[in-house]
Amino acid sequence: ERTDAVWHCSLPEARPGLGYGYRVHGPYKPEQGLRFNPAKLLADPYAKDFVGSLRWSDALYGYTVGHKREDLALDRRDSATFMPKCRVLETAFTWGDDRRPDVPWHETVIYEMHVRGFTMRHPDVPQALRGTYAGLATAPVIEHLKRLCVTTVELLPVHAFIDDRRLFEMGLRNYWGYNTLGFFAPENRYSASGKVKEFKTMVKTLHSAGIEVIMDVVYNHSCEGNHLGPTLSLRGIDNAAYYVLDPGNPRHYVDYTGCGNTVNLEHPRALQLVMDSLRYWAEGMHVDGVRFALASGLAGEGGAVQPLGAFFDVVPQDRVLNRVKLIAEPWDLGHGGYQVGNFPLGWAEWNDRYRDGMRAYWKGDGGQIGEFARRFTGSADLYGRSGRQPHASVNFITAHDGFTLADLVSYNDKHNEANGEDNRDGHNNNVSWNCGAEGPTDDPAILELRARQRRNFLATLLLSQGAPMLLAGDELGRSQQGNNNAYCQDNELNWLDWTPGKEKDDLIHFIARLTALRRTHPSFRRRDFFEGRPLHGGGVKDILWLKPDGKEMSDEEWEHEAARSLGVYLSGTGLTDVDRYGKMKRDDDFLILLHPHHEDAAFVLPAIPGEPWRALCDTAQEPATPDARKHYAAG
């Protein structure tokens, strides 16, 4: 049957476990954007489960590979043998009293992690569960996350995906998973049981520990690549509806993503597919939020990025999706694709301005104090003008894409030779500093400086306004040996090393103290931006920027190229929190001293009425006296 241009059928005898695929008949005219080929078995875009895996063969392509007419030559070989099969899902699952933790945005601490890499080498996770959803639900993992005071885990893509043929033939894998085949099914390679309910159990277990689950999703493109890619699903079902085609030559695709194609959200059926997928994961799988990869690519309308286009109009109005966290990676490779700060109310964004500004400051670059101040206080210049709050800025120093924290302070240049592209891939501008030697060294002075720099970055991240995001493994000193694009390395280069060690324990403890400090003091997680004036009748401004001599910065001094060292005074006036007895109390005053040189420097502490200053955290010496009324932290 066909209703509103959508074909459908009923299989009354279909039961859970049934494997199936689609064959779609129609004209094969690539020059008109039509690529129907019934010889190719197609994955149902709405499949909620898959069985088997894709095996690369020329038969998977709708055209005859190697033919002189390229994709214009129809290939009639049957591809079913090489395709994974969709599987009817057994939907029964006992959620019981599962509840979303509903962590407020201003209290959120995100931990970006890879399902497989996190537990593959974990000695306390049963070997059969390592690298799986079930592995993330084990007690040792939960204990580690709780120790770090993480509120929210952000999983790299778990939608069903495939390995690129080029990588497969090189003996590599698409480890990150940004190569989606199915928008509804969890990736089977991460399942110990081979059952979808394992993902649900993981979510339920994390929820019971008070931890949210956010998914990194890839709706901007699919795994079918450009016009010379395979015919696996959307291309063979309705190529012209699901993809953005070149209006001057529909044989080719418009590629805003760098992955060969762009999903066409201007078409109502493609938009419906994405919206249905989002609702399914929120309602059926109980996930708490979504991080949209290359989100600007979802906003393109008529070739131009319109942040308030159809997709971004629909999502906030949806009765399901307006209750989950929405995070945009606010850029893509298309013209005008860089949209940091331009997403509407209800959206948070990865803030690469924060990442680059903090890296440059601690690297010791000149003229950075103004940029540091803007990013440290929540990037009001980016988010305040649209009425958003500081938590719209998802702050990060490191993420899966780029150097790890250990490599950020150990390498000046990328070292991606293992990826097989002659070190041409990956970013060249990493704003990194090796502290005096490229890569591994035995020099104790360099090692000490690197350790201090790591603490400086972490303290800055966790004391900044906005929503902090930690990269899994940074607390363990994980290195990728200078590889800043380890997307294809499914091996020990990416897998976390859980071997015990004092340096790891110290860094975990350092992070735990800072996240606990953030959790217990609203001064570090404000719901509004600083105003730079006395509040609530107080005589002191809500924030003061100080020179090393203890005097307030003047407007002209912000422009000094040589200025590096800063003091930041945060007044607790007007900020309240609940103490351990359930009573409201005024927050403490805090002074943060920042010194990006590795030589010693003297600071004059400002004379603020009240109790004397007490050291709470020092990235060089690590004292801890958390019972003081007024505290300062030094870096």
Side-chain angles (χ1 to χ4, degrees), residues 26 63 160 175 194 422 446 572:
Y63 65 95
Y175 176 75
D422 297 324
I446 293 177

Side-chain angles (χ1 to χ4, degrees), residues 331-344:
W331 51 77
D332 66 14
L333 300 183
H335 178 68
Y338 186 79
Q339 291 292 320
V340 172
N342 290 333
F343 280 73

Side-chain angles (χ1 to χ4, degrees), residues 260-321:
N261 62 62
T262 304
V263 173
N264 180 20
L265 292 193
E266 290 190 70
H267 194 284
R269 294 290 79 80
L271 178 60
Q272 181 183 0
L273 172 67
V274 171
M275 294 301 297
D276 288 347
S277 170
L278 288 168
R279 291 189 201 98
Y280 173 73
W281 287 96
E283 286 191 308
M285 307 292 266
H286 287 208
V287 300
D288 305 281
V290 184
R291 182 263 188 187
F292 294 81
L294 300 181
S296 297
L298 301 172
E301 293 189 349
V305 171
Q306 302 290 338
L308 295 178
F311 180 73
F312 296 100
D313 285 338
V314 170
V315 173
Q317 299 174 31
D318 188 89
R319 65 176 180 82
V320 174
L321 302 179

Side-chain angles (χ1 to χ4, degrees), residues 169-237:
E169 292 175 349
M170 293 172 61
L172 301 172
R173 295 291 183 270
N174 192 315
Y175 176 75
W176 287 349
Y178 293 94
N179 204 32
T180 307
L181 174 64
F183 295 130
F184 289 77
E187 173 55 44
N188 257 336
R189 72 184 76 185
Y190 301 150
S191 176
S193 63
K195 299 182 182 298
V196 170
K197 67 180 181 181
E198 183 178 322
F199 182 93
K200 298 179 180 180
T201 300
M202 175 198 70
V203 172
K204 183 178 178 180
T205 303
L206 288 168
H207 281 180
S208 68
I211 299 172
E212 297 179 310
V213 178
I214 289 179
M215 294 171 49
D216 193 341
V217 295
V218 191
Y219 293 118
N220 55 78
H221 73 278
S222 83
C223 64
E224 292 183 301
N226 63 17
H227 65 292
L228 297 178
T231 295
L232 306 176
S233 183
L234 302 179
R235 173 173 285 142
I237 293 173

Side-chain angles (χ1 to χ4, degrees), residues 504-538:
K504 294 179 181 179
D505 288 341
D506 288 346
L507 195 56
I508 292 172
H509 178 63
F510 179 77
I511 294 173
R513 284 178 39 229
L514 286 167
T515 49
L517 179 71
R518 182 183 184 90
R519 182 183 59 193
T520 54
H521 291 282
S523 290
F524 302 113
R525 44 181 175 81
R526 295 171 58 98
R527 302 189 193 194
D528 50 16
F529 292 105
F530 290 103
E531 298 189 23
R533 63 180 179 85
L535 298 177
H536 306 286

Side-chain angles (χ1 to χ4, degrees), residues 341-534:
N342 290 333
F343 280 73
L345 290 168
W347 289 81
E349 302 175 21
W350 272 28
N351 188 350
D352 66 332
R353 294 274 299 273
Y354 180 95
R355 175 197 64 196
D356 295 345
M358 295 312 181
R359 288 185 178 192
Y361 177 79
W362 285 112
K363 181 172 173 278
D365 292 349
Q368 294 296 318
I369 58 173
E371 183 69 359
F372 176 92
R374 286 186 288 271
R375 305 306 147 226
F376 185 81
T377 54
S379 297
D381 58 324
L382 298 176
Y383 308 109
R385 63 176 180 265
S386 61
R388 288 191 282 174
Q389 297 172 297
H391 63 244
S393 176
V394 175
N395 300 329
F396 63 104
I397 303 294
T398 56
H400 70 275
D401 186 3
F403 281 147
T404 66
L405 185 60
D407 288 352
L408 182 65
V409 299
S410 302
Y411 293 91
N412 287 345
D413 304 301
K414 66 182 182 182
H415 297 268
N416 298 356
E417 290 80 5
N419 296 350
E421 299 182 44
D422 297 324
N423 205 34
R424 294 188 302 269
D425 62 307
H427 299 292
N428 292 313
N429 182 26
N430 297 285
V431 200
S432 61
W433 178 42
N434 63 21
C435 296
E438 187 74 356
T441 180
D442 295 326
D443 188 319
I446 293 177
L447 292 175
E448 191 281 328
L449 177 57
R450 288 176 177 176
R452 192 191 320 160
Q453 283 287 80
R454 283 155 54 190
R455 292 192 293 268
N456 286 335
F457 279 123
L458 290 166
T460 303
L461 175 66
L462 293 169
L463 299 180
S464 294
Q465 303 300 321
M469 185 182 78
L470 297 161
L471 173 63
D474 278 351
E475 74 275 22
L476 304 175
R478 186 174 75 88
S479 171
Q480 292 173 175
Q481 300 174 22
N483 192 322
N484 74 350
N485 188 36
Y487 76 102
C488 56
Q489 302 293 332
D490 186 6
N491 49 50
E492 293 187 357
L493 192 71
N494 266 315
W495 303 342
L496 274 60
D497 181 3
W498 295 91
T499 305
K502 183 180 183 304
E503 185 177 354
K504 294 179 181 179
D505 288 341
D506 288 346
L507 195 56
I508 292 172
H509 178 63
F510 179 77
I511 294 173
R513 284 178 39 229
L514 286 167
T515 49
L517 179 71
R518 182 183 184 90
R519 182 183 59 193
T520 54
H521 291 282
S523 290
F524 302 113
R525 44 181 175 81
R526 295 171 58 98
R527 302 189 193 194
D528 50 16
F529 292 105
F530 290 103
E531 298 189 23
R533 63 180 179 85

